[in-house]
């Protein structure tokens, strides 16, 4: 128990935050200050200072005024702390107990909570104090839980909940939960996506933006909201960083979607924000005007996922990155770069390079060779598509569906048979129910028979879903072929490859090991798998389209 002192120098402590809900005037900082001042004067306590934390949560003690009060206690300037009630002191019962029952006692500081009539001069074994502390802690936890539920509910309705709009958008003046396009910033966002899709890396993009004197997102926001930031930490207006570029090109908001929950607070007391998995996101599509197309988004995301490095000389991404694969082990082919000549020289299997011939073979191919093969294949397909667009599309469909036609016809026959049987089972189960209701069959008999029929019904329904799924996959071929034809036609006049072309058109490039012909010469097969349609055999395609044969290489691309 504390010893009573002849003179008390009191610290009056006040706190208020959003955690406390609508406390009204009775709980305001000014009201707390007035109440505590009156109480101290009425009881003859000298006031050292009034420490006020306005807008700080009670769930932790990282509060500026509270820290200043503790320093005053450590310096021996204060020997009494008075608060309106325990919830003003804090809402985390474990830490509150450490301060009130240990720290204050060690420092011979008398603690008083007027609302609960707590005075540590009378001892700290008051049963009301720990119970009140726990209740206050649970209250703020409950408020936090309800707030999170409310946020998730609004997010699922497609409402934007950020404190300010993402770079490229503004909050709609008529609806703060809706985004509208900020024309000036939107152009910067589109340019960033464009540069990255063309193979320009993070570092080079930041340099380009700095050279153009483009304001970074924080500086741009501050220009339009000059009173928002209280400090000068943002005042490097053209200082772009790779993290800013990565944040922009990975945000689905630019597709017109609302995304909530990409990060979360680590814990109730630990306010560190951590990233969450996509499976935990709330994503509502088409809630505002997009800044980029789905095609651009897909290209950029594929580039981000690829393992790639920027060359020291060019600061550009090697545009085959992530696309070239080994036919045997499936790993990516490593690219070789000649620093002296400043150019790429060729590819070889990563597994072979790291583990030797026990695991795989080299599958080596020259940079120029692969570049020329892929360019010519794109040109051939683009020219055929342009000359006979409809026939080309029909040829693609024929190549992809010929093997499936018999299976799809079989699936449809099976589906018809299942639907007929399901209809029969509905009638049988209804009849059984009526017979049981009319006492024509016993309850035991009804239970046995209905269970068998219901089991059959359930099994057939599952089978029906599987068949419908297979039929839908076949139907997608038509849409995919149409999408590919539109895409490939736009590259009829392509003269050289770049990152954008490759990542829009090609899914992967599979390189086989070299083989030796009878005359001693060597050849190498390279299979190019396109987006939407996969591998296209030019020989089979010409036969399907019935175009005149040319001297172009067919089927196997050889090097």
């Amino acid at each position: 128990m504390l010893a009573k002192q002849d003179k008390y120098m009191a610290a009056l402590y006040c706190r208020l935050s959003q955690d406390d809900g609508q406390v009204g005037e009775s709980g305001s900082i000014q009201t707390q200050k007035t109440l505590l001042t009156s109480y101290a004067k009425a009881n003859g306590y000298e006031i050292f200072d009034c420490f006020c934390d306005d807008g700080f949560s009670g769930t932790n003690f990282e509060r500026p005024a509270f820290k200043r009060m503790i320093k005053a206690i450590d310096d021996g300037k204060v020997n009494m702390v008075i608060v309106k009630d325990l919830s003003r002191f804090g809402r985390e019962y474990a830490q509150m107990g450490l301060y009130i029952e240990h720290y204050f006692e060690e420092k011979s500081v008398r603690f008083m909570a007027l609302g609960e009539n707590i005075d540590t001069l009378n001892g700290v074994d008051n049963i009301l104090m720990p119970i009140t502390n726990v209740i206050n802690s649970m209250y703020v936890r409950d408020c936090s839980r309800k707030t999170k539920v409310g946020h998730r509910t609004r997010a699922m309705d497609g409402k934007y909940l950020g404190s300010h709009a993402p770079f490229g958008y503004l909050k709609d003046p008529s609806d703060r939960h809706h985004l509208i396009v900020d024309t000036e910033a939107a152009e910067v966002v589109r340019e960033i996506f464009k540069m990255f899709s063309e193979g320009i890396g993070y570092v080079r993009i930041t340099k380009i933006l700095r050279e153009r004197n483009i304001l970074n997102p924080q500086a741009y926001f501050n220009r339009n909201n000059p009173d928002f930031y209280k400090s000068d930490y943002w005042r490097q207006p053209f200082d772009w960083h790779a993290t800013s570029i990565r944040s922009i090109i990975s945000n689905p908001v630019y597709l017109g979607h609302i995304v909530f929950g990409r990060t979360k607070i680590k814990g109730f007391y630990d306010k560190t924000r951590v990233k969450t998995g996509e499976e935990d996101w709330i994503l509502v599509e088409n809630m505002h005007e997009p800044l980029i197309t789905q095609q651009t988004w897909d290209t950029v995301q594929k580039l981000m996922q690829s393992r790639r490095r920027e060359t020291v000389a060019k600061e550009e991404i090697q545009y085959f990155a992530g696309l070239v694969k080994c036919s045997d082990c499936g790993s990516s082919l490593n690219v070789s770069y000649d620093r002296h000549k400043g150019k790429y020289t060729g590819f070889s299997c990563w597994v072979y390079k790291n583990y030797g011939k026990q695991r795989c073979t080299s599958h080596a191919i020259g940079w120029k060779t692969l570049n020329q093969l892929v360019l010519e294949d794109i040109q051939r397909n683009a020219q055929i598509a342009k000359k006979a667009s409809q026939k080309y599309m029909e040829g693609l469909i024929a190549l992809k569906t010929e093997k499936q036609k018999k299976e799809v016809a079989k699936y449809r026959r099976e589906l018809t048979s299942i639907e007929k049987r399901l209809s029969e089972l509905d009638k049988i189960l209804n009849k059984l129910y009526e017979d049981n209701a009319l006492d024509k069959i016993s309850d035991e008999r009804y239970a046995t028979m209905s269970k068998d029929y219901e089991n059959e019904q359930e099994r057939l329904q599952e089978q029906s879903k599987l068949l419908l799924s297979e039929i839908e996959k076949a139907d997608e071929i038509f849409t995919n072929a149409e999408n590919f034809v539109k895409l490939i036609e736009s590259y009829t006049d392509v003269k050289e490859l770049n990152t954008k072309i490759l990542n829009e058109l090609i899914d992967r490039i599979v390189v086989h090991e070299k083989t030796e012909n009878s005359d001693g010469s060597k050849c190498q097969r390279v299979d190019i798998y396109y987006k939407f349609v996969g591998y296209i055999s030019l020989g089979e395609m010409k036969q399907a389209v019935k175009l005149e044969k040319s001297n172009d290489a067919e089927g196997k691309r050889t090097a």
Side-chain angles (χ1 to χ4, degrees):
M1 182 180 293
L2 290 174
K4 188 173 182 178
Q5 300 184 40
D6 296 331
K7 182 180 178 181
Y8 284 104
M9 184 66 71
L12 311 182
Y13 183 72
C14 311
R15 185 195 64 80
L16 189 67
S17 79
Q18 292 181 352
D19 295 341
D20 303 305
Q22 301 298 319
V23 296
E25 181 61 27
S26 63
S28 70
I29 289 290
Q30 187 56 48
T31 301
Q32 291 179 54
K33 189 174 180 179
T34 301
L35 173 68
L36 298 178
T37 302
S38 298
Y39 180 83
K41 288 181 178 179
N43 287 274
Y45 305 134
E46 188 174 344
I47 299 173
F48 174 76
D49 200 355
C50 187
F51 299 89
C52 301
D53 280 317
D54 194 0
F56 289 87
S57 172
T59 60
N60 65 71
F61 288 86
E62 295 299 314
R63 315 172 210 149
F66 184 85
K67 287 183 175 180
R68 284 193 295 107
M69 183 179 74
I70 294 299
K71 187 176 187 306
I73 293 172
D74 289 337
D75 292 343
K77 298 176 181 179
V78 168
N79 61 359
M80 173 183 276
V81 173
I82 309 176
V83 297
K84 177 179 177 288
D85 55 57
L86 286 171
S87 68
R88 299 306 95 212
F89 186 71
R91 292 187 180 275
E92 203 291 291
Y93 63 89
Q95 286 182 282
M96 289 174 69
L98 288 173
Y99 275 109
I100 296 171
E101 298 177 29
H102 297 281
Y103 175 75
F104 287 163
E105 186 172 345
E106 290 174 3
K107 297 291 183 180
S108 298
V109 172
R110 182 179 176 183
F111 176 79
M112 301 179 72
L114 306 185
E116 292 84 6
N117 196 29
I118 290 172
D119 184 348
T120 56
L121 186 63
N122 301 322
V124 294
D125 55 352
N126 186 335
I127 192 171
L128 179 64
M129 185 166 63
I131 292 174
T132 304
N133 287 342
V134 171
I135 291 172
N136 286 334
S137 179
M138 295 307 295
Y139 169 79
V140 75
R141 284 175 180 269
D142 188 54
C143 288
S144 175
R145 181 186 60 79
K146 288 177 179 177
T147 299
K148 288 179 180 178
V149 170
H151 283 167
R152 291 185 69 84
T153 300
R154 288 194 290 275
M156 287 188 285
D157 288 337
K159 297 183 182 297
Y160 181 75
L161 303 177
S163 58
H164 57 269
F167 184 63
Y169 288 102
L170 297 169
K171 286 190 175 184
D172 190 336
S174 60
D175 180 2
R176 64 191 179 93
H177 296 303
H178 179 252
L179 299 176
I180 58 175
V181 174
D182 179 349
T183 307
E184 182 181 350
E187 284 305 310
V188 178
V189 171
R190 292 189 184 102
E191 183 63 18
I192 289 171
F193 272 94
K194 180 175 180 291
M195 285 191 286
F196 196 85
S197 70
E198 291 174 348
I200 302 175
Y202 299 115
V203 176
R204 181 59 184 150
I205 290 175
T206 61
K207 287 184 178 180
I208 291 172
L209 295 173
R210 283 198 292 271
E211 289 167 0
R212 294 179 183 175
N213 287 339
I214 302 295
L215 289 173
N216 64 47
Q218 289 180 339
Y220 180 82
F221 178 81
N222 193 75
R223 188 192 72 180
N224 298 321
N225 303 270
D227 299 325
F228 187 85
Y229 291 114
K230 306 301 181 185
S231 64
D232 292 344
Y233 79 94
W234 61 272
R235 296 185 190 277
Q236 294 294 332
F238 311 117
D239 192 6
W240 284 82
H241 296 280
T243 51
S244 300
I245 304 301
R246 192 179 296 110
S247 176
I248 288 172
I249 62 178
S250 63
N251 195 341
V253 73
Y254 299 113
L255 277 173
H257 307 334
I258 290 296
V259 186
F260 178 80
R262 297 178 74 200
T263 62
K264 66 177 181 180
I265 293 174
K266 197 171 184 179
F268 185 73
Y269 299 114
D270 185 350
K271 302 302 181 182
T272 306
R273 299 203 72 86
V274 295
K275 291 182 178 180
T276 60
E278 288 189 30
E279 66 277 5
D280 296 323
W281 297 359
I282 294 174
L283 189 146
V284 186
E285 297 182 349
N286 305 320
M287 295 306 299
H288 52 264
E289 183 180 341
L291 299 188
I292 59 166
T293 65
Q294 184 68 50
Q295 185 174 319
T296 299
W297 171 264
D298 291 341
T299 299
V300 166
Q301 300 316 299
K302 183 172 181 179
L303 276 170
M304 289 181 70
Q305 292 167 9
S306 301
R307 294 179 63 184
R308 57 191 184 277
R309 292 176 297 177
E310 296 180 10
T311 66
V312 176
K314 297 183 178 181
E315 292 180 318
E316 293 179 357
I317 295 169
Q318 184 269 110
Y319 53 68
F320 280 109
L323 294 176
V324 189
K325 306 292 181 181
C326 173
S327 65
D328 291 322
C329 69
S331 67
S332 294
L333 266 61
N334 273 10
V335 66
S336 301
Y337 182 75
D338 189 326
R339 291 178 178 270
H340 297 294
K341 295 182 179 179
K343 63 180 182 180
Y344 297 105
T345 56
F347 298 86
S348 60
C349 176
W350 179 88
V351 171
Y352 171 77
K353 189 174 181 180
N354 286 273
Y355 299 103
K357 59 184 178 182
Q358 291 84 1
R359 296 277 295 274
C360 200
T361 54
S362 70
H363 293 73
I365 188 169
W367 170 273
K368 284 186 178 180
T369 301
L370 185 65
N371 188 83
Q372 190 63 27
L373 282 172
V374 174
L375 177 60
E376 289 177 358
D377 202 69
I378 291 173
Q379 290 171 334
R380 279 193 293 265
N381 278 285
Q383 288 165 6
I384 296 172
K386 187 174 183 179
K387 289 178 183 177
S389 178
Q390 187 60 36
K391 285 186 177 181
Y392 183 73
M393 188 170 72
E394 290 171 358
L396 286 173
I397 294 169
L399 288 178
K400 301 301 172 185
T401 58
E402 191 62 39
K403 297 176 182 178
Q404 296 182 355
K405 281 182 180 178
K406 292 181 180 179
E407 289 184 358
V408 171
K410 178 185 174 184
Y411 295 153
R412 293 190 185 280
R413 288 195 299 271
E414 289 180 12
L415 189 60
T416 301
S417 177
I418 288 172
E419 288 173 347
K420 182 180 179 182
R421 179 57 180 165
L422 285 172
S423 179
E424 291 172 353
L425 288 173
D426 282 337
K427 292 177 182 177
I428 291 170
L429 287 168
N430 287 334
K431 185 68 168 62
L432 279 175
Y433 180 79
E434 290 176 5
D435 289 347
N436 178 249
L438 296 172
D439 293 328
K440 291 183 179 180
I441 59 173
S442 66
D443 290 343
E444 292 79 6
R445 180 66 172 161
Y446 170 74
T448 302
M449 295 179 69
S450 62
K451 184 178 179 180
D452 290 340
Y453 286 124
E454 285 170 353
N455 287 341
E456 182 185 359
Q457 190 178 50
E458 186 176 340
R459 179 177 56 79
L460 290 173
Q461 286 171 344
E462 287 298 318
Q463 192 175 345
S464 175
K465 289 179 183 177
L466 291 174
L467 291 171
L468 284 170
S469 176
E470 292 299 324
I471 293 169
E472 285 174 3
K473 286 180 184 177
D475 290 340
E476 286 177 4
I477 291 172
F478 294 89
T479 303
N480 288 341
E482 187 175 12
N483 289 336
F484 179 73
V485 171
K486 290 179 181 177
L487 189 60
I488 194 71
E489 281 181 341
S490 64
Y491 290 106
T492 304
D493 300 320
V494 64
K495 296 295 188 295
E496 60 182 22
L497 299 179
N498 58 40
T499 303
K500 184 173 184 292
I501 293 172
L502 289 174
N503 283 275
E504 280 189 352
L505 278 176
I506 293 173
D507 182 63
R508 66 188 186 280
I509 301 165
V510 178
V511 177
H512 295 253
E513 186 57 84
K514 292 184 178 71
T515 58
E516 189 170 331
N517 297 322
S518 56
D519 60 359
S521 62
K522 291 186 177 181
C523 65
Q524 186 172 22
R525 174 170 176 160
V526 177
D527 297 333
I528 301 170
Y529 291 80
Y530 287 93
K531 293 280 184 68
F532 301 113
V533 296
Y535 175 73
I536 302 173
S537 168
L538 290 178
E540 293 178 5
M541 174 58 73
K542 288 182 179 181
Q543 186 176 358
V545 179
K546 294 182 180 178
L547 293 175
E548 292 182 3
K549 289 186 178 181
S550 68
N551 294 324
D552 294 336
E554 300 181 12
K556 295 180 182 180
R557 287 77 171 172
T558 57

